[in-house]
Amino acid sequence: MEKSGHPGGVPSPGLVFETLTAYQRSAALRAAIELDLFRAIGEGPGDVPSLALRCGASERGIRILCDFLTVIGLITKEGLAYRHTTTSALFLDPNSPTCLAATAQFLGNPRLKEPYERLTEIVRSGRTVMEGQGSVEPEDPVWIEFAHSMAPMMGPMAGPLGAIVLAERGGPMRVLDIAAGHGLFGIEVAKQNPEAIIVALDWAPVLEVARENARRAGIAARYETLPGSAFEVEFGGPYDIVLLTNFLHHFDRPTCIELLQKVRAALKPSGLAATLEFVPNEDRVSPSIPAAFSLTMLATTPGGDAYTYRELEEMLVAAGFHRIRAYPVPRAPHTVVVGEVDHRGQSSIAGKQSG
Amino acid sequence: MEKSGHPGGVPSPGLVFETLTAYQRSAALRAAIELDLFRAIGEGPGDVPSLALRCGASERGIRILCDFLTVIGLITKEGLAYRHTTTSALFLDPNSPTCLAATAQFLGNPRLKEPYERLTEIVRSGRTVMEGQGSVEPEDPVWIEFAHSMAPMMGPMAGPLGAIVLAERGGPMRVLDIAAGHGLFGIEVAKQNPEAIIVALDWAPVLEVARENARRAGIAARYETLPGSAFEVEFGGPYDIVLLTNFLHHFDRPTCIELLQKVRAALKPSGLAATLEFVPNEDRVSPSIPAAFSLTMLATTPGGDAYTYRELEEMLVAAGFHRIRAYPVPRAPHTVVVGEVDHRGQSSIAGKQSG
């Protein structure tokens, strides 16, 4: 679709119209996933009557939906037949092992979308209109859905994260996985290091999802669970590694520092803390996905944010960490930021060095 | 934001993520308009503290909202200050005479957005889940809002439409403006031809908006009103010109043909019918705005569509019209399609000729 974001560029009332109606894009993709349309497109022949039959839907509905998905670049149209793009073949067809369709469940969760209906009020007050702590209210059931439906998006990052945290560490170790969710990050560490014992911390019902994933991965014997809030439960330890994935962004800086101090106290002197975050550049408006994510934190939390590398570094330093550095995850919008307890550690690890 | 709509292009999980969260773009723009943020940006200096003060909002909220609007290309950021793009300066700043911000009222109307929450069901059944005739249910109050808030988007098209329908016609004439709404199209004809008398047809409360606009334009003495449904009320006549702007797309083909027959019967032998429509190419997936509009008709009407030129031509022919032709409106996503009663008319008018 046309776009004019550059000063001096072509003025575009179309961009205004398309932004005001952008909510239709989310609805169209969600409907297509619910109708199992992308599987039907992948299996061909892709014309309206056969897609309608396959999806148990009307021809008018399928034709208009497929045309719309073509306009927004998710599929293509050749004559009267709809075909996969590389993107839809890899990430939307359930026959693809990298299919992300399940993420529509969490990303379309009505409770997390509702605050956007009151965004004006949220910008005025500077915090979510959700009750209590918003999406980080204790025992919030959205995190069960997160654990189930976001695994396909988070899974591909587990391998790189595991390699980063195990780069200088091996042998018997205890690893605390805070806000484990689906558990995939801790499970990957256990897979990469057969001598690692994982302690997964999350709300009890979420831990059931993680435990099931650990069982499937064949590492259940080395998988322990610690139900409760990261702010309240005793971590135990000491640990060699603490993982803080998709977690700090929900909280304001004092809360993050407080938590990082508690993490540091639970680590061995040789220990490492690793966060996985959406980390925008210092300009806070690039790259697009990490930068745009701060709006989600405005809408759904009292004080969270998509923190820049400098901010994460400051928080880690304030909590007593040393040798802080960032590793962008290949082919993903996330960044791993690590810090160590001992300031005398070697600095042989590749990556953006700082502090 | 990154985009991969081309087969063989770079696979993009980002496009999936951005589409599932596209509803946030609509919410962010609506909030910015409600906070009068674009006026504040236009008047400078554009830093977070002064914007927050001007908008009566929190600094956290303003900073995150402005960063998000920058990411989606509506404004820019220079250091710590936010500035207009050409697009936001022209179309979102209330100090601009071409400001379209009011359209957010109609395009964000909750009643017209709700069906998208049930789009899967709509694609299955092939028609809106709204009661009765959906958005074209008699006396639906959304059309009062349309008349008020869409005038800034429709107004710039009135001049070109007036010039097209008056190209071969002058002197005393009666013009019927069906579904007049804000009335701007008929009013423009009255302004371009001081001998034209306009008869505006719409629901009675909508006609109050049109009548007020006619008064402001100084043509109230030549402005008559005909309250009721275009399908039920007697048109009177005979007319020289009948305008059907933003109307046919709400109905299925048999209904459109029935209405066009009634229009033809109300025209003089030398008469002209002119529709203003979103007209996609025959591929139905380009240009983006007219093509995408069919989803709105799926979601909110029982049988409407964004008709292609060939379909509009077929309907006009079926209703007995001749010399059908299309005029794309300059710098707008709309097209004017006209047909004449008398098949012997001259064909000296410029434009895409057909039939």
Side-chain angles (χ1 to χ4, degrees):
Chain A
M1 300 201 177
E2 61 187 305
K3 195 159 171 185
S4 169
H6 306 288
V10 181
S12 171
L15 179 60
V16 174
F17 184 81
E18 289 186 334
T19 303
L20 287 171
T21 56
Y23 68 90
Q24 300 177 357
R25 299 182 187 206
S26 306
L29 177 49
R30 207 174 61 240
I33 290 170
E34 288 174 4
L35 291 159
D36 213 11
L37 177 66
F38 296 106
R39 188 196 307 271
I41 288 171
E43 294 176 357
D47 58 300
V48 169
S50 40
L51 290 174
L53 196 65
R54 287 285 305 273
C55 297
S58 67
E59 293 194 10
R60 175 180 183 239
I62 287 292
R63 187 253 303 163
I64 292 177
L65 178 62
C66 287
D67 282 341
F68 187 89
L69 294 171
T70 304
V71 170
I72 65 173
L74 285 173
I75 59 174
T76 61
K77 187 175 186 179
E78 295 169 16
L80 292 175
Y82 301 95
R83 309 260 185 250
H84 273 316
T85 56
T86 313
T87 294
S88 65
L90 284 173
F91 304 119
L92 291 169
D93 189 329
N95 285 322
S96 160
T98 54
C99 181
L100 300 173
T103 61
Q105 285 296 319
F106 179 75
L107 296 175
N109 183 295
R111 240 172 64 75
L112 296 182
K113 280 176 64 185
E114 272 164 19
Y116 292 90
E117 297 299 320
R118 296 164 66 189
L119 192 56
T120 302
E121 188 182 338
I122 291 169
V123 174
R124 286 214 175 94
S125 71
R127 54 159 289 148
T128 185
V129 288
M130 294 170 80
E131 284 182 21
Q133 297 304 300
S135 64
V136 282
E137 185 70 8
E139 306 283 352
D140 194 310
V142 301
W143 299 112
I144 304 173
E145 187 153 272
F146 179 90
H148 281 296
S149 79
M150 292 302 278
M153 189 168 272
M154 297 302 164
M157 285 183 277
L161 176 73
I164 290 163
V165 299
L166 294 173
E168 292 180 14
R169 286 165 177 76
M173 60 170 64
R174 288 180 67 81
V175 178
L176 176 64
D177 187 359
I178 293 178
H182 39 69
L184 298 185
F185 296 113
I187 291 165
E188 178 67 23
V189 173
K191 284 161 73 179
Q192 290 189 21
N193 178 1
E195 295 182 279
I197 292 167
I198 313 301
V199 180
L201 187 159
D202 213 317
W203 310 117
V206 179
L207 286 175
E208 290 175 30
V209 183
R211 208 180 288 115
E212 172 61 18
N213 285 334
R215 195 191 56 74
R216 279 190 214 157
I219 58 101
R222 292 182 284 125
Y223 206 73
E224 303 172 9
T225 53
L226 195 53
S229 156
F231 295 95
E232 287 163 20
V233 81
E234 281 294 321
F235 287 162
Y239 294 98
D240 298 86
I241 296 170
V242 176
L243 305 179
L244 279 156
T245 56
N246 296 308
F247 194 58
L248 292 181
H249 54 241
H250 295 103
F251 308 101
D252 64 18
R253 292 181 218 197
T255 308
C256 289
I257 292 169
E258 182 195 333
L259 182 72
L260 289 168
Q261 284 168 333
K262 185 178 173 186
V263 166
R264 187 175 178 279
L267 279 165
K268 293 180 185 169
S270 62
L272 178 91
T275 75
L276 179 80
E277 286 288 336
F278 281 118
V279 183
N281 295 328
E282 298 304 325
D283 65 10
R284 300 196 99 95
V285 293
S286 65
S288 62
I289 290 179
F293 183 71
S294 62
L295 190 73
T296 301
M297 293 301 98
L298 175 66
T300 60
T301 74
D305 212 334
Y307 292 110
T308 66
Y309 175 72
R310 195 175 308 277
E311 289 170 329
L312 289 167
E313 182 185 48
E314 281 169 8
M315 293 188 279
L316 283 158
V317 166
F321 284 93
H322 300 275
R323 299 187 65 237
I324 295 141
R325 47 205 190 275
Y327 302 86
V329 181
R331 288 178 299 285
H334 289 70
T335 302
V336 175
V337 176
V338 303
E340 298 185 21
V341 175
D342 184 355
H343 68 282
R344 293 162 306 168
Q346 297 159 290
S347 64
S348 63
I349 302 175
K352 187 159 116 190
Q353 301 273 336
S354 192
Chain B
M1 298 200 178
E2 61 186 306
K3 198 160 171 183
S4 170
H6 306 288
V10 180
S12 171
L15 179 60
V16 174
F17 184 81
E18 289 185 334
T19 303
L20 288 171
T21 55
Y23 68 90
Q24 300 177 358
R25 300 183 187 206
S26 306
L29 177 49
R30 208 173 60 241
I33 290 169
E34 287 174 5
L35 291 159
D36 213 11
L37 177 65
F38 296 106
R39 188 196 306 271
I41 287 172
E43 294 177 358
D47 59 299
V48 170
S50 40
L51 290 173
L53 196 65
R54 288 285 305 273
C55 297
S58 67
E59 294 195 9
R60 175 180 183 237
I62 288 291
R63 187 253 304 164
I64 292 177
L65 178 62
C66 287
D67 283 340
F68 188 88
L69 294 171
T70 305
V71 170
I72 65 174
L74 285 173
I75 59 174
T76 59
K77 187 176 187 179
E78 296 169 17
L80 292 174
Y82 301 94
R83 309 259 185 250
H84 273 316
T85 56
T86 314
T87 295
S88 64
L90 285 173
F91 304 119
L92 291 169
D93 189 329
N95 285 322
S96 161
T98 53
C99 181
L100 300 173
T103 61
Q105 285 296 318
F106 179 75
L107 296 174
N109 182 296
R111 240 172 64 75
L112 297 181
K113 280 175 66 186
E114 272 164 19
Y116 292 90
E117 297 299 319
R118 295 165 65 188
L119 192 57
T120 302
E121 189 182 339
I122 291 170
V123 174
R124 284 214 175 95
S125 71
R127 54 160 287 149
T128 185
V129 288
M130 294 170 80
E131 283 182 21
Q133 297 303 299
S135 64
V136 283
E137 185 71 8
E139 307 284 353
D140 193 310
V142 300
W143 299 111
I144 305 173
E145 186 152 272
F146 180 89
H148 280 297
S149 79
M150 293 302 278
M153 189 167 273
M154 297 302 164
M157 285 183 277
L161 176 73
I164 290 163
V165 299
L166 293 174
E168 292 180 15
R169 285 164 178 77
M173 60 169 64
R174 288 180 68 80
V175 178
L176 177 64
D177 187 0
I178 292 178
H182 38 71
L184 298 184
F185 296 113
I187 290 166
E188 178 67 22
V189 173
K191 284 162 72 179
Q192 291 188 22
N193 177 3
E195 296 182 279
I197 290 166
I198 313 300
V199 180
L201 187 158
D202 214 317
W203 310 117
V206 179
L207 286 175
E208 290 175 31
V209 183
R211 208 181 287 114
E212 171 61 18
N213 285 335
R215 194 190 58 73
R216 279 191 214 157
I219 59 101
R222 292 182 284 126
Y223 206 74
E224 302 172 9
T225 53
L226 196 53
S229 157
F231 295 95
E232 287 163 20
V233 81
E234 280 294 322
F235 287 162
Y239 295 97
D240 298 85
I241 296 170
V242 176
L243 305 180
L244 280 155
T245 56
N246 296 308
F247 194 58
L248 292 181
H249 54 243
H250 295 103
F251 308 101
D252 64 18
R253 293 182 217 197
T255 308
C256 288
I257 292 170
E258 182 195 335
L259 181 72
L260 289 168
Q261 285 168 333
K262 185 178 172 186
V263 166
R264 187 175 177 281
L267 279 165
K268 293 179 184 169
S270 62
L272 177 91
T275 74
L276 179 80
E277 287 288 336
F278 281 118
V279 183
N281 295 329
E282 298 304 325
D283 65 10
R284 298 197 102 95
V285 293
S286 65
S288 62
I289 290 179
F293 183 71
S294 61
L295 191 72
T296 301
M297 293 301 98
L298 174 66
T300 61
T301 74
D305 211 337
Y307 292 111
T308 66
Y309 174 72
R310 194 174 309 278
E311 289 170 328
L312 289 167
E313 182 185 47
E314 281 169 9
M315 293 189 277
L316 283 158
V317 167
F321 284 93
H322 300 275
R323 298 188 65 237
I324 294 141
R325 47 206 190 276
Y327 301 87
V329 180
R331 289 177 299 284
H334 289 71
T335 301
V336 176
V337 176
V338 304
E340 298 185 21
V341 175
D342 184 355
H343 68 283
R344 294 163 306 168
Q346 297 160 288
S347 65
S348 63
I349 302 177
K352 188 158 116 191
Q353 301 271 337
S354 190

PDB file of all heavy atoms in Angstrom, chain B residues 276-288:
ATOM      1  N   LEU B 276     -20.278   7.883  -7.949  1.00  0.00           N
ATOM      2  CA  LEU B 276     -18.916   8.052  -7.431  1.00  0.00           C
ATOM      3  C   LEU B 276     -18.638   6.817  -6.591  1.00  0.00           C
ATOM      4  O   LEU B 276     -19.371   6.532  -5.635  1.00  0.00           O
ATOM      5  CB  LEU B 276     -18.814   9.310  -6.567  1.00  0.00           C
ATOM      6  CG  LEU B 276     -17.434   9.578  -5.955  1.00  0.00           C
ATOM      7  CD1 LEU B 276     -16.503  10.216  -6.979  1.00  0.00           C
ATOM      8  CD2 LEU B 276     -17.544  10.479  -4.722  1.00  0.00           C
ATOM      9  N   GLU B 277     -17.604   6.065  -6.948  1.00  0.00           N
ATOM     10  CA  GLU B 277     -17.384   4.765  -6.325  1.00  0.00           C
ATOM     11  C   GLU B 277     -15.903   4.476  -6.113  1.00  0.00           C
ATOM     12  O   GLU B 277     -15.059   5.050  -6.790  1.00  0.00           O
ATOM     13  CB  GLU B 277     -17.962   3.650  -7.236  1.00  0.00           C
ATOM     14  CG  GLU B 277     -19.471   3.566  -7.256  1.00  0.00           C
ATOM     15  CD  GLU B 277     -20.034   3.012  -5.951  1.00  0.00           C
ATOM     16  OE1 GLU B 277     -19.300   2.297  -5.241  1.00  0.00           O
ATOM     17  OE2 GLU B 277     -21.200   3.313  -5.636  1.00  0.00           O
ATOM     18  N   PHE B 278     -15.629   3.544  -5.194  1.00  0.00           N
ATOM     19  CA  PHE B 278     -14.324   2.878  -5.163  1.00  0.00           C
ATOM     20  C   PHE B 278     -14.361   1.823  -6.267  1.00  0.00           C
ATOM     21  O   PHE B 278     -15.121   0.851  -6.162  1.00  0.00           O
ATOM     22  CB  PHE B 278     -14.121   2.164  -3.822  1.00  0.00           C
ATOM     23  CG  PHE B 278     -13.723   3.063  -2.685  1.00  0.00           C
ATOM     24  CD1 PHE B 278     -14.537   3.205  -1.569  1.00  0.00           C
ATOM     25  CD2 PHE B 278     -12.514   3.729  -2.706  1.00  0.00           C
ATOM     26  CE1 PHE B 278     -14.153   4.006  -0.505  1.00  0.00           C
ATOM     27  CE2 PHE B 278     -12.118   4.534  -1.643  1.00  0.00           C
ATOM     28  CZ  PHE B 278     -12.947   4.674  -0.539  1.00  0.00           C
ATOM     29  N   VAL B 279     -13.574   1.995  -7.325  1.00  0.00           N
ATOM     30  CA  VAL B 279     -13.611   1.065  -8.451  1.00  0.00           C
ATOM     31  C   VAL B 279     -12.249   0.379  -8.599  1.00  0.00           C
ATOM     32  O   VAL B 279     -11.301   0.966  -9.122  1.00  0.00           O
ATOM     33  CB  VAL B 279     -13.980   1.788  -9.770  1.00  0.00           C
ATOM     34  CG1 VAL B 279     -14.074   0.783 -10.921  1.00  0.00           C
ATOM     35  CG2 VAL B 279     -15.299   2.547  -9.618  1.00  0.00           C
ATOM     36  N   PRO B 280     -12.124  -0.858  -8.105  1.00  0.00           N
ATOM     37  CA  PRO B 280     -10.846  -1.561  -8.293  1.00  0.00           C
ATOM     38  C   PRO B 280     -10.672  -1.981  -9.741  1.00  0.00           C
ATOM     39  O   PRO B 280     -11.639  -2.036 -10.511  1.00  0.00           O
ATOM     40  CB  PRO B 280     -10.989  -2.798  -7.393  1.00  0.00           C
ATOM     41  CG  PRO B 280     -12.455  -3.028  -7.279  1.00  0.00           C
ATOM     42  CD  PRO B 280     -13.117  -1.671  -7.406  1.00  0.00           C
ATOM     43  N   ASN B 281      -9.446  -2.276 -10.120  1.00  0.00           N
ATOM     44  CA  ASN B 281      -9.190  -2.863 -11.435  1.00  0.00           C
ATOM     45  C   ASN B 281      -9.867  -4.224 -11.535  1.00  0.00           C
ATOM     46  O   ASN B 281     -10.299  -4.785 -10.530  1.00  0.00           O
ATOM     47  CB  ASN B 281      -7.680  -3.004 -11.661  1.00  0.00           C
ATOM     48  CG  ASN B 281      -6.991  -1.645 -11.719  1.00  0.00           C
ATOM     49  OD1 ASN B 281      -7.595  -0.665 -12.153  1.00  0.00           O
ATOM     50  ND2 ASN B 281      -5.740  -1.594 -11.266  1.00  0.00           N
ATOM     51  N   GLU B 282      -9.920  -4.758 -12.743  1.00  0.00           N
ATOM     52  CA  GLU B 282     -10.615  -6.038 -12.944  1.00  0.00           C
ATOM     53  C   GLU B 282      -9.961  -7.176 -12.151  1.00  0.00           C
ATOM     54  O   GLU B 282     -10.611  -8.172 -11.844  1.00  0.00           O
ATOM     55  CB  GLU B 282     -10.687  -6.385 -14.438  1.00  0.00           C
ATOM     56  CG  GLU B 282     -11.478  -5.363 -15.285  1.00  0.00           C
ATOM     57  CD  GLU B 282     -12.908  -5.125 -14.803  1.00  0.00           C
ATOM     58  OE1 GLU B 282     -13.552  -6.083 -14.314  1.00  0.00           O
ATOM     59  OE2 GLU B 282     -13.376  -3.959 -14.903  1.00  0.00           O
ATOM     60  N   ASP B 283      -8.675  -7.022 -11.752  1.00  0.00           N
ATOM     61  CA  ASP B 283      -8.021  -8.053 -10.927  1.00  0.00           C
ATOM     62  C   ASP B 283      -8.534  -8.046  -9.484  1.00  0.00           C
ATOM     63  O   ASP B 283      -8.264  -8.957  -8.716  1.00  0.00           O
ATOM     64  CB  ASP B 283      -6.492  -7.886 -10.959  1.00  0.00           C
ATOM     65  CG  ASP B 283      -6.016  -6.579 -10.308  1.00  0.00           C
ATOM     66  OD1 ASP B 283      -6.817  -5.871  -9.659  1.00  0.00           O
ATOM     67  OD2 ASP B 283      -4.817  -6.257 -10.457  1.00  0.00           O
ATOM     68  N   ARG B 284      -9.261  -7.018  -9.114  1.00  0.00           N
ATOM     69  CA  ARG B 284      -9.864  -6.824  -7.789  1.00  0.00           C
ATOM     70  C   ARG B 284      -8.840  -6.689  -6.652  1.00  0.00           C
ATOM     71  O   ARG B 284      -9.230  -6.676  -5.479  1.00  0.00           O
ATOM     72  CB  ARG B 284     -10.813  -7.981  -7.420  1.00  0.00           C
ATOM     73  CG  ARG B 284     -11.987  -8.151  -8.336  1.00  0.00           C
ATOM     74  CD  ARG B 284     -13.053  -9.022  -7.675  1.00  0.00           C
ATOM     75  NE  ARG B 284     -14.107  -8.174  -7.173  1.00  0.00           N
ATOM     76  CZ  ARG B 284     -15.218  -7.896  -7.852  1.00  0.00           C
ATOM     77  NH1 ARG B 284     -15.438  -8.419  -9.029  1.00  0.00           N
ATOM     78  NH2 ARG B 284     -16.116  -7.092  -7.330  1.00  0.00           N
ATOM     79  N   VAL B 285      -7.556  -6.600  -6.944  1.00  0.00           N
ATOM     80  CA  VAL B 285      -6.558  -6.469  -5.880  1.00  0.00           C
ATOM     81  C   VAL B 285      -5.695  -5.215  -6.057  1.00  0.00           C
ATOM     82  O   VAL B 285      -4.698  -5.029  -5.362  1.00  0.00           O
ATOM     83  CB  VAL B 285      -5.659  -7.722  -5.772  1.00  0.00           C
ATOM     84  CG1 VAL B 285      -6.486  -8.913  -5.293  1.00  0.00           C
ATOM     85  CG2 VAL B 285      -4.987  -8.041  -7.097  1.00  0.00           C
ATOM     86  N   SER B 286      -6.092  -4.328  -6.984  1.00  0.00           N
ATOM     87  CA  SER B 286      -5.395  -3.053  -7.174  1.00  0.00           C
ATOM     88  C   SER B 286      -6.388  -2.036  -7.714  1.00  0.00           C
ATOM     89  O   SER B 286      -7.389  -2.438  -8.321  1.00  0.00           O
ATOM     90  CB  SER B 286      -4.226  -3.235  -8.172  1.00  0.00           C
ATOM     91  OG  SER B 286      -4.739  -3.579  -9.460  1.00  0.00           O
ATOM     92  N   PRO B 287      -6.165  -0.735  -7.525  1.00  0.00           N
ATOM     93  CA  PRO B 287      -5.250  -0.149  -6.540  1.00  0.00           C
ATOM     94  C   PRO B 287      -5.688  -0.520  -5.116  1.00  0.00           C
ATOM     95  O   PRO B 287      -6.840  -0.891  -4.897  1.00  0.00           O
ATOM     96  CB  PRO B 287      -5.384   1.362  -6.774  1.00  0.00           C
ATOM     97  CG  PRO B 287      -6.139   1.523  -8.064  1.00  0.00           C
ATOM     98  CD  PRO B 287      -6.949   0.291  -8.237  1.00  0.00           C
ATOM     99  N   SER B 288      -4.775  -0.363  -4.169  1.00  0.00           N
ATOM    100  CA  SER B 288      -5.002  -0.929  -2.837  1.00  0.00           C
ATOM    101  C   SER B 288      -6.258  -0.410  -2.143  1.00  0.00           C
ATOM    102  O   SER B 288      -7.027  -1.196  -1.585  1.00  0.00           O
ATOM    103  CB  SER B 288      -3.771  -0.706  -1.956  1.00  0.00           C
ATOM    104  OG  SER B 288      -3.517   0.667  -1.764  1.00  0.00           O
TER     105      SER B 288
END
